[in-house]
Structures are given as structure tokens and as C-alpha cells.
Amino acid sequence: MSEIPAKSTERTERDVPSDDAGGEAADDVMWQSSPPGSIYDYIKVASFSIGPDGLIDQWSLRAERLFGVAAGDAVGRDPIEAFVPPELRSSGHRKMAEILDGREWTGSVPFRAPAQPDGPEAGSFAGSEGIAEVYVMPTETEGGEQAAVCIVVDVRALRQIETDLAASQAIFGQSPFGFLLFGTDLKVQRANRRFAAVFGGGVEEHRGRTVHDYLPRHEADRMAAALKRVLETGDSVTDMQIVGPAPGSNDRRHWSINLYRVHSGSGRPIGIAGLGTDVTRRHAAAREAAHARRNLALLNDAGARIGNSLDLETTARELLDVTVPGFCDLASVDLYQGLLDGDETPPGLADGSAELRRVAFASAVADAPFPVGTAPVDVGAVHRFAFTSPCADALRTARPRLLSASDDGSASRLTGGLIQSTLAVPMVAHDTVVGLAQFSRTKGSEPFGERDRSLAVELAARAAVCIDNARLYRREHERALILQRSLLPPGDPEASGLDIACRYLPGNAATEVGGDWFDVIELPGHRTALVVGDVMGRGLRAAVAMGELRTAVRTLALLDLEPAEVLSALDEIARGLGDPSGTQQATRAARQTRAGSETDLSEVYLATCVYAVYDAVTRRCTIANAGHLPPVLVEPDESPLMLDVPPGMPLGVGGEPFEEVEVELPEGALLALYTDGLVESRDHPLDEGLNAFVQALNNPAPALEDVCDHVLNTLDTHHGEDDIALLMARIQGLPAEAVGDWTLPRDPKSVGRARELACEQLRSWGLEPLCDTTELLVSELVTNALRYGEGEIRLRLLLDRTLVCEVWDAGLVQPRRRRARDTDEGGRGLQLVGLLSAAWGSRRTPRGKTVWFEMPLPDSGVAPMDAAEALLSLF
């Protein structure tokens, strides 16, 4: 048998894969003379030779891989018996005889190869049935005997090539996506029709082009870098986003590019396949979805952040905090000045020409104020929009206006051409335009669209409702504050025998008006009632209740009742305030509640109160408490002490009696009454605040004003969470020489004696001008005591800021003033007392009653009525 023609002995410098699809191992080599990428890389060819005896005498390595039979097992075997199925062996033997007679033969032969567990897994059909296309060429051995050389091709490999070619043609010819095949030089080798339809020209015209012929420079550079990276590394690129204009149009198009390296049958890289999909619509849909998500997030953020406080400026700033920079680059809020001042319909509101005040401004790009017309407007400034301006039109029509840079040229000029577009959105709440919100985007940002307009209207509407609520609250708050302050004593009140200083601090703007109050009421006999109270609850309701209770306290004080009696009467009044059916029905409701029924007491007013009466003559103070914090007493050279006064129940609860305590106060002592806002807050427990208050009163300053300031500064007022009322009184009792006190027997002569004693005392005080009038009035009171009273008579004169004369007796019948008829001989005494004195009255005492009158001092500037004229006026 002749030798099989050998190939060239030139050896390539590269590793060549085997005839199987996966290629041989890296250490296998092939001798070849064909260039890289030979057809033999794709068509799997094997060879073997048959000797004159019809048996295999040579078996190549490729035959081993194709049939899965080693050379040692194949050499010496009959190929017909070894590989041809039994039913075809007879015809196979005839063909083999013909071949050995010198005839060539070509045909397809089915074969069955035994399995080889260690054989290759790809590119061969070992261990399976197959069809081999066989080329048998007769030859002769060196001895002249007939032999044969067989070339075998795997038919299935040929069919695979046909399939691959058909698939490749289908991809390029029928794919709905743009498809390019780049060579190793990164130039287009082939393009499909879809790509040519998008970028123009025929398919062949794109051959040899590069990505720079299709894309803008920066995108082409990105694409070229990606192609080079894929070619070098073999790593695929998936969904690479490329943006560029379509041919013949300036519209921006978005493509999704997928790149992967293409190999030859031997595994050698021969180029890069690129698949391009136009995702402009998908990108637009994704952008719309992103905008929708952003808008929903903005609305959610607005709902959470706008309107957390009842403050106009804070609410406006919260709107801008939400929109800048998430929605726009610059924004401002202008509110009608008249509405801020409390007017319901300020002039010019309907036509948009009314004054507005800028309450908030925010910018993510510049600090320049948002302009109005031709001038910038600072926060807090008051301005007007020109009647013909788009902003005034938006206010008139209550409809938003979208302004481009050309529409609002002055704003663009004042901001250095920065503004691209502006949305002027009226802020409408409850069918009332309260102001205007302006949102602007600068150049480089996406211009406002219809979707942005709708979002801006929604954001402005939410803020407008919150701002209007804050405006209404501010108006109510201010009215309640005015009402509350009008019911408090003006300045520092004066009282006999007391040095008084007081402080009232309302809560901050974030809290409602409270029901704290204090009062200083002058009582007959140079006595003084000190009152501090606190209505539970807040707002206008609490302020009104405070005013009603304060008025009731003053009325009850004029009756000169004991402190416990005053609080009992106040308790009845408080229960009747919240019930239109009156005090009795409220009392029954309170009792039912205590008994366990479920009667609604939501409208029952509850309050705490301390009522103390100080007598400047005796320096004794009688105190009753209705659920309030105890007073603090600071005696000279002593530590502060909270007085042990039975706390009692708050006013409005009812059913429990109040107790009172009498305390003797030394000269120079300090008595402090206060409300819980001074000592209690969310961050400071009550005990801690009380201890701090007591410590702050250690070694008080001589001046009470300084003491008040020191207390407030030390306690820091707990950030104004609640109203604070503080009333301090330093004891300065009447000196003994300012008091004249005499006891007279029950005898008609006592009338004359009383006149004499009064005149002598007045002369010793240097008040001789008051002698005649005082003598006359003392005579009337002593006479009434003798006529209608009982027991001994006591006469007392008190000198302080006024002159007070008191006549005591043990009778219980109170004097009653009446108008005498012209024919009556008497009954004009009390009328005369009322005409000649500044004030008069009577009060009960533990042992009877006291009738008193008060006279102004000569240097007070009040001229007393002439006694003769007073007498004549009675007839």
C-alpha cells in the first residue's frame, strides 16, 4: 500500500483545534499548509487505509475521534464487520471487493461506533449511530497489491453547516432588529436590511464603515471602546445604551446594543456581532414612569411635610423644601397682605392687584431673590404684580400660567438669563385665592410640561389649605390673646401693704392660647385678694372661660366672702359654664359621673385656682386652694417653703368642700403664686420644676422685678410650651401709727365720742380738711350701729393710699340703702354716705358685720363733694 500523501511540513505558530467541535487540547498541534480558517475547520475529515486482505492496516487520529475506536482496536479488523450494520454487510463486502479490484467509490454508509468513555464529547459521534460520507480511492502497495485509501466525512457536520448558514441568513435577512457584523478591524463586514432601512442606503453600502459614521463623536467613542474590549476579552456587552439622532432628523433616539465575539469553527475570533434595538419608546415610557414615581413621591412627601405647624411662614417654607430641588430650581410664595392682616376680602383681591407679601423663597442654584417686574423682591417685602402681568392674570382667573423665558423676560434678565421656564400657580383654598406660588427651572433642566403643571397645582392647593388653616388659626389665636390680655390687670397693680410684681408669658406661636390668669383685687379695710388660676384646655374656649371665671371672682370678691366660700361659688359657676341648662343640671351630671354613669362631661369647664386674702393691718393671709399648685413663702433670712394648703378639687368637679388656711406673714416676707406652665413641661417633670422654682427664690433680690426676671431666666420657661402666670407680693403691713382703733359702749353718747376720736386722729395725721366730712359720716354709721346693731361698737380708721373708716358691731342685719320720700324725716343717712365718700359698703365678720366708707386723701387730686350740697341734693 502506497503512502498517503503527506502535507507540508510547515508548522503554524498557533494552537490548532482538532476536528471535533470543541477543538483539541492546547498541546495538540497540526501540520497544515492552508491559511487560518480553512474549510477543514468546519468539515470533520478522517482517513484510514485498507490492505490487500480487506482489513484495516492504518487508522488515523481523526478516525479515532470520529468513530470512537482506538487505532490498536481498529487495525487488523474488517471494516464491514466492525462498522456496517448486519443487514448491509453482504452488499458491503461486494463493494469492498470491487474497490480492491481498482474501482473508486463514493457514497453514504451508515455506521455504529462503539462507545468510548474517555473519548471526546463534542464534534464526534462515538458511541452512537451515524452516517458517513465515504470516499474510497484504490491504490497499490509497494509490492503491487491492490489496496484502498478511505476519506470519511461526517454527514451530520455537513448538515450542521447547512443549518448554520440558513440560520445566519435568517438572522441577517429576516431579523426585525438592526444587525451588524464587525471584523477584527472594527469595520462593518455585513449589515442586515433592517439596519440599512434605519440608517439609509443599501446593505452593501455599509460595508467598511465604522461606528463614527453613524453616531455622534462621544457616543461613537464609547461604542468603539466597547467593541475593542469585546474583541480582546470575549466578554459580551448587554443592553448598552446609546443615544444619537436618527438620519435626516434631529430627534434623539435611544438604542440598546448587545455585542458578542464571533469565532471560527476552530475557535479563532473573526469579528464581533452587534444587535441594535430601538428602545426610544421604551425609554420614553420608563421616563414617564420615573416622572410618575417622582410625582407620587413628591405628593407623598408633601402630605408628610406640609402643614405640620399652624404657622404661615413655616408652612410656606415647607412647600419650598418639598419642591426645591426635587421639582424645580427656584421657587417663591407670595400671600395677600390683607389676608395676613385678618381681612376677609382685602381691596383688589378679585383682580389680583392687591398687595402681596413674600413669605418664602428657595433656590438650588442662586441666592438672588425671585424678581417681580423689574426689581428683585426680598422675603418679607410687600409688592404688587402689574395688572397686565401673567402673575396677576393667574391670580384673577385662579388658573396656572406657564411662562417661558421670553414671556417673563424681566425675571430672566434679573437672574442673568438663568431661568428657562416658570409656573405661576395661584394658591386656592376653600374657593379663595390666598396667594401665588412660582416655580422656575433654569437652563439645562427639562422644561415644564402639562404633567408638571398638574403636579404644581396639586402641591400649591395642599399648601394653600394648610396656609389658610394657619391664617384662620393665627386670627383666632390673636383674638384669643387680645381677649386674654384684656382680662389681665394692666401693668403692676397696687395694693395696700403689699409690693406687687407680676409676669404673664403666653405660649409660643405653635401652641394655642391658654386659660392662665391672675388678679389683684382691693377689698375694704385695706385688704387685698390675690388670685391665680388656670383653665384646663387651650384655645379661644379656654380664654373665654378664663374671662368668665375672672369676672366671677371679682364679683364674689366684692361680696367680701371668705376664700373657701369664693371657691365654692366658683365651682358652681364653672359647672354651669359648659351646660346651657344651667348650674343645677351640670351639678347633677357631675354627681352621676362620680356615681359611675356615662354622662358626657366634655363641655364641663375645669380650672384650678388659688384665692388668698391679705389683711394689711393684721398681716394675716387666708388662703384656699382648688386643685392648684401650692403658694411659696419666703420669710426674711429663711429658706423658701411651699405652704401646706389643702389642694382641694379643681373647679367644675363639684361636691367637695374647700378648706382654708390662715398664715401670719412677717414684714418683708415674699409670697409667690404661679401656674404650672412655669414648672412643668414634657421634658421637665413637675417635681423637678417645683424644686427648681423653690431654689430660684433663695435669697431674693430687694426689687421684686429683679426676682421675677431671675425666676424666669433660671427656669428658662421650658421653651414656652404653656402660658405662664407669676404673681409675687412682698409684705409691707400698715404701721401701727397708721391705724386708729377704738371700742365704744352701746350708748347714745358714743356718737359724739366717735366724732371726737375721728377728728383727733385726722388732725394727728395732718388730714384736717377731711374732718368735717368724716365727722358727719362717722356719726351716721355709729348711729345706725346703735339703732340696728347689737353689742359693743368698734371704730377703726386706716390710713394708706386712701382713708378708710370702719364701724363694727355684732348685729347680723346688713344695711340697705333706700331712697327716702320727700315727706320722710329719716332714711337718708346711707344716701349721704354714698354721696360724700369715694366708696362704701358692708361685709360680714365672724361676730357680726362691718360698715365702711373710703375717702380720697387731699393730695390725691380728687375733690370731695361739699357736705352742704350733698345734704341739699337729698331733698
Side-chain angles (χ1 to χ4, degrees), residues 830-848:
L830 292 181
Q831 286 183 279
L832 187 62
V833 173
L835 288 172
L836 294 179
S837 65
W840 79 279
S842 67
R843 69 177 184 274
R844 292 180 300 168
T845 64
R847 298 178 182 179

Side-chain angles (χ1 to χ4, degrees), residues 843-864:
R843 69 177 184 274
R844 292 180 300 168
T845 64
R847 298 178 182 179
K849 68 177 180 298
T850 300
V851 183
W852 57 271
F853 66 86
E854 183 176 334
M855 297 288 292
L857 299 180
D859 58 357
S860 64
V862 179

Side-chain angles (χ1 to χ4, degrees), residues 274-352:
L275 180 66
T277 307
D278 190 340
V279 294
T280 304
R281 291 184 179 180
R282 188 179 74 185
H283 184 80
R287 186 172 59 181
E288 289 291 328
H291 281 303
R293 287 193 297 270
R294 184 202 65 179
N295 293 352
L296 288 175
L298 278 174
L299 290 175
N300 182 63
D301 197 23
R305 297 174 61 183
I306 298 177
N308 291 325
S309 67
L310 289 173
D311 181 77
L312 289 167
E313 290 77 8
T314 301
T315 303
R317 286 194 299 270
E318 288 170 347
L319 170 63
L320 303 191
D321 290 341
V322 170
T323 55
V324 178
F327 177 70
C328 61
D329 301 315
L330 297 93
S332 66
V333 175
D334 300 308
L335 300 179
Y336 277 118
Q337 180 65 25
L339 293 177
L340 296 179
D341 293 337
D343 299 334
E344 290 297 331
T345 54
L349 181 64
D351 60 13

Side-chain angles (χ1 to χ4, degrees), residues 415-469:
T415 55
L418 188 67
I419 294 177
Q420 175 183 226
S421 61
T422 298
L423 274 172
V425 184
M427 306 182 71
V428 184
H430 312 299
D431 298 327
T432 300
V433 179
V434 299
L436 185 75
Q438 296 184 72
F439 309 102
S440 292
R441 287 181 180 173
T442 58
K443 292 183 178 179
S445 299
E446 183 178 356
F448 286 116
E450 190 61 34
R451 178 182 57 252
D452 298 317
R453 183 199 298 258
S454 301
L455 177 61
V457 170
E458 177 66 23
L459 292 173
R462 292 193 180 193
V465 171
C466 295
I467 286 175
D468 194 52
N469 291 339

Side-chain angles (χ1 to χ4, degrees), residues 751-773:
V751 177
R753 179 59 179 162
R755 290 198 297 268
E756 293 175 1
L757 293 172
C759 287
E760 290 176 1
Q761 186 65 60
L762 291 179
R763 292 189 185 100
S764 66
W765 287 337
L767 299 178
E768 190 169 353
L770 299 179
C771 284
D772 293 340
T773 303

